[in-house]
Amino acid sequence: MKIATILGTRPEIIKMAPIIDEISRRGIDQIVLHTGQHYDKEMSETFFDDLEIPAPDYNIHVGSGTHAKQTALMMEGIEEVLLEEKPDIVLVQGDTNAVLAGALVASKMHIAVGHVEAGLRSFDMTMPEEINRIVADGVSTMYFVPTQESAINLLAEGFSRKNLFITGNTVVDACHRHLEIARKRGIQEESLARLDIGNMDNILTLTMHRAENVDIRERVVNIIDALKELTQMNIVFPIHPRTKNTLEKFGLFDELNNLEHVHIIKPIGYLDFLQLTSASTLVLTDSGGLQEEAITLDVPALTLRYNTERPETVTAGGNILVGSNKDAILKYVNMILSDKEFADRMRNAPNPYGMGDSAKSTVDAIEDYYDNGLLDIEAPEDIMSSFTRKMAMIEEDITVADFESKEDALIHMVFDGEKMCFPADDLNLNGMMITYDKRE
Ligand code: UD1
Ligand code: UDP
């Protein structure tokens, strides 16, 4: 079997590293293709070094550009490599343009696509990431979904549960592994000292780069107005290049940089960033990955967005959406500082993203599909004997797996009263309403 991983940005490198490691640990043939969307050393190369994974086999150097141009260049480059390498499956991760380009090219070449971190939905079609997720999910073969909630999003859109694997999120694998590496190397103190931020109390780690925040002046101004008043915090802001450019364009960079309690620094490596996050009183962010890492590291998160495709972090109690609303930002930062019970509740929120064995379950599932010939994409010959869609109220003790084998059926959705549940094989259906496909 040959697995091709396509990645292009900082978070994809971080979240695919545990899978790349796992594939190589098992001696499976693999190639890694970097689209070159992120190209600064501190947005790309640093992570291959820090995460101890080999440099990519291919880099197609697409660089920055409009969505159409960037995606088109990626598609051309990816097609050339896939024609040459002929992998059995292409893995894409998350919701960047690499995911869109990789999934489209591979699926049209009849190569199976495995979407890592599938099923997330913000329900906000103004986000480029939402479009990328929906299109990639539409053409994928295997779906590695972090939580039941993301699996249910896909079931509600009509995807078959047979191809959904609830794996947790590889970000937990990455956090655990790299905190351990950092601990062994004894670099905690060193990392924080390198940041040169003086006082280590009340650290607020800030990251933001989302188009819907940084490209809109009014939003940036509101956020900066809040930051100005947070003089009790030691704000550390590893700035994304996109954000640096737009702050400079809006004439706001110097104003923010001149605030004594705000330390704007270049993006930092993963080991250092984990130390910084772990040492923080809270994070203020619009990053997807950081919302997940914060709950993994027991650090309260305030998210600079009005929606999130990571709602589990909010319902678990570790994350609050503050948008770009100055009053909300100030209110919740002050509550975290002054109300110990409130802060502890946020810190102790259960992590919905698993135990850190996500890479292992992902590669297990891929090996199983390969061994059973399920990665072969072929035209169906026998559409006339397909399924009839039905609905039933179940009034007996029977599990999903037993019902399916008894009825020669495939269950789609299970409703426990108003609540939708994921039809795991061992779920007892007694008292539940189900929808299913039955072979006639
Ligand atoms: C991209 C992803 C976003 C992800 C983010 C992770 C898409 C549509 N967006 O957003 O989902 O959360 O990466 O960080 O795929 N730039 C540099 N050097 C670099 C990279 C970028 O200077 O190495 C600057 C360029 O001016 C560029 C701008 O940042 O135009 C934006 O970069 P781009 O890759 O288009 O989008 P991101 O905002 O990074
Ligand atoms: N990160 C990092 N150094 C930094 C800022 C972020 O290593 O200076 C890591 C962070 O730990 C997280 C990832 O980058 O894993 C998030 O990337 P980003 O916010 O760019 O993208 P998103 O997750 O929003 O797609």
Side-chain angles (χ1 to χ4, degrees):
M1 173 167 61
K2 185 192 272 187
I3 302 177
T5 292
I6 297 178
L7 43 75
T9 65
R10 167 171 75 184
E12 293 164 270
I13 305 168
I14 294 169
K15 289 177 171 177
M16 283 311 290
I19 294 182
I20 293 169
D21 258 353
E22 184 66 24
I23 296 171
S24 91
R25 208 180 56 75
R26 295 186 192 199
I28 300 169
D29 198 7
Q30 72 169 324
I31 59 149
V32 175
L33 187 166
H34 194 320
T35 62
Q37 177 172 347
H38 283 178
Y39 43 86
D40 290 346
K41 186 170 189 293
E42 62 268 15
M43 294 298 287
S44 175
E45 198 185 319
T46 298
F47 294 93
F48 288 88
D49 296 343
D50 252 16
L51 290 133
E52 299 179 335
I53 50 172
D57 302 283
Y58 296 90
N59 189 324
I60 52 182
H61 298 290
V62 297
S64 304
T66 64
H67 283 272
K69 211 169 181 175
Q70 203 179 48
T71 311
L73 283 173
M74 285 182 199
M75 289 180 73
E76 276 185 26
I78 292 169
E79 186 178 54
E80 254 177 55
V81 174
L82 296 186
L83 278 169
E84 170 83 21
E85 293 283 350
K86 300 187 176 40
D88 296 288
I89 184 166
V90 163
L91 298 182
V92 290
Q93 194 286 334
D95 50 26
T96 67
N97 288 343
V99 176
L100 175 66
L104 280 180
V105 172
S107 60
K108 291 210 170 190
M109 294 173 74
H110 308 155
I111 299 172
V113 176
H115 187 189
V116 177
E117 203 182 76
L120 276 63
R121 295 289 182 269
S122 67
F123 305 100
D124 177 356
M125 288 299 284
T126 66
M127 290 180 73
E129 291 86 357
E130 185 74 353
I131 298 167
N132 293 344
R133 286 178 202 119
I134 290 174
V135 176
D137 282 337
V139 298
S140 291
T141 310
M142 300 185 77
Y143 301 85
F144 305 105
V145 295
T147 63
Q148 283 215 7
E149 283 86 337
S150 35
I152 286 171
N153 286 337
L154 292 176
L155 293 178
E157 290 174 23
F159 292 94
S160 164
R161 87 172 169 95
K162 288 292 181 200
N163 300 321
L164 309 186
F165 303 90
I166 301 176
T167 54
N169 196 308
T170 54
V171 82
V172 182
D173 307 30
C175 273
H176 288 181
R177 178 159 184 263
H178 296 286
L179 275 177
E180 183 58 20
I181 291 178
R183 194 186 59 73
K184 280 200 188 124
R185 288 196 203 153
I187 66 161
Q188 281 104 327
E189 301 293 308
E190 204 187 297
S191 280
L192 295 170
R194 210 171 15 241
L195 299 178
D196 196 22
I197 48 173
N199 176 11
M200 296 305 297
D201 295 332
N202 289 352
I203 296 178
L204 183 159
T205 295
L206 168 68
T207 77
M208 69 176 171
H209 70 279
R210 294 279 165 191
E212 73 262 29
N213 276 329
V214 301
D215 292 0
I216 300 175
R217 193 173 201 284
E218 192 195 334
R219 287 217 191 176
V220 181
V221 167
N222 288 344
I223 295 168
I224 293 181
D225 281 349
L227 298 177
K228 279 185 193 159
E229 292 192 21
L230 290 173
T231 49
Q232 72 278 44
M233 300 308 297
N234 197 357
I235 299 175
V236 186
F237 185 15
I239 196 165
H240 190 291
R242 174 189 201 113
T243 313
K244 184 158 193 288
N245 293 343
T246 47
L247 287 184
E248 279 167 351
K249 188 177 88 194
F250 293 152
L252 295 168
F253 183 82
D254 289 339
E255 183 184 349
L256 186 60
N257 199 25
N258 289 337
L259 296 173
E260 208 169 305
H261 62 295
V262 176
H263 308 272
I264 303 185
I265 56 177
K266 279 186 153 196
I268 56 180
Y270 194 55
L271 295 182
D272 287 349
F273 192 76
L274 282 180
Q275 302 309 318
L276 175 65
T277 307
S278 305
S280 299
T281 304
L282 73 138
V283 301
L284 184 61
T285 190
D286 60 13
S287 159
L290 191 47
Q291 290 173 66
E292 296 155 347
E293 282 163 352
I295 203 162
T296 304
L297 300 170
D298 301 330
V299 178
L302 299 182
T303 294
L304 296 162
R305 290 178 48 190
Y306 293 98
N307 58 49
T308 178
E309 55 294 310
R310 276 106 176 152
E312 304 88 348
T313 57
V314 177
T315 44
N319 184 13
I320 297 172
L321 302 181
V322 291
S324 56
N325 181 324
K326 178 184 162 191
D327 292 341
I329 298 171
L330 294 178
K331 174 180 156 189
Y332 287 112
V333 173
N334 287 323
M335 277 177 77
I336 291 167
L337 285 184
S338 60
D339 183 341
K340 185 169 177 319
E341 218 174 286
F342 177 79
D344 281 345
R345 259 202 319 275
M346 289 192 81
R347 277 192 277 271
N348 295 331
N351 181 0
Y353 296 116
M355 310 295 294
D357 54 2
S358 176
K360 181 180 174 305
S361 4
T362 302
V363 184
D364 280 349
I366 296 170
E367 287 206 289
D368 182 56
Y369 260 43
Y370 177 75
D371 291 343
N372 288 295
L374 296 171
L375 295 182
D376 303 331
I377 312 285
E378 282 160 8
E381 282 175 4
D382 165 21
I383 52 168
M384 297 313 287
S385 71
S386 64
F387 296 95
T388 305
R389 305 215 138 161
K390 298 193 168 195
M391 191 179 234
M393 180 74 201
I394 306 294
E395 279 161 345
E396 60 173 315
D397 278 325
I398 188 164
T399 63
V400 166
D402 288 344
F403 179 91
E404 288 186 335
S405 90
K406 186 169 142 217
E407 298 287 334
D408 193 10
L410 179 68
I411 295 180
H412 272 295
M413 305 214 206
V414 177
F415 298 90
D416 182 5
E418 283 183 345
K419 187 171 163 264
M420 242 179 109
C421 310
F422 182 74
D425 280 343
D426 58 355
L427 181 72
N428 185 343
L429 292 171
N430 200 354
M432 304 205 187
M433 176 69 83
I434 65 168
T435 65
Y436 62 106
D437 287 348
K438 182 169 165 48
R439 198 182 291 281
E440 293 303 327

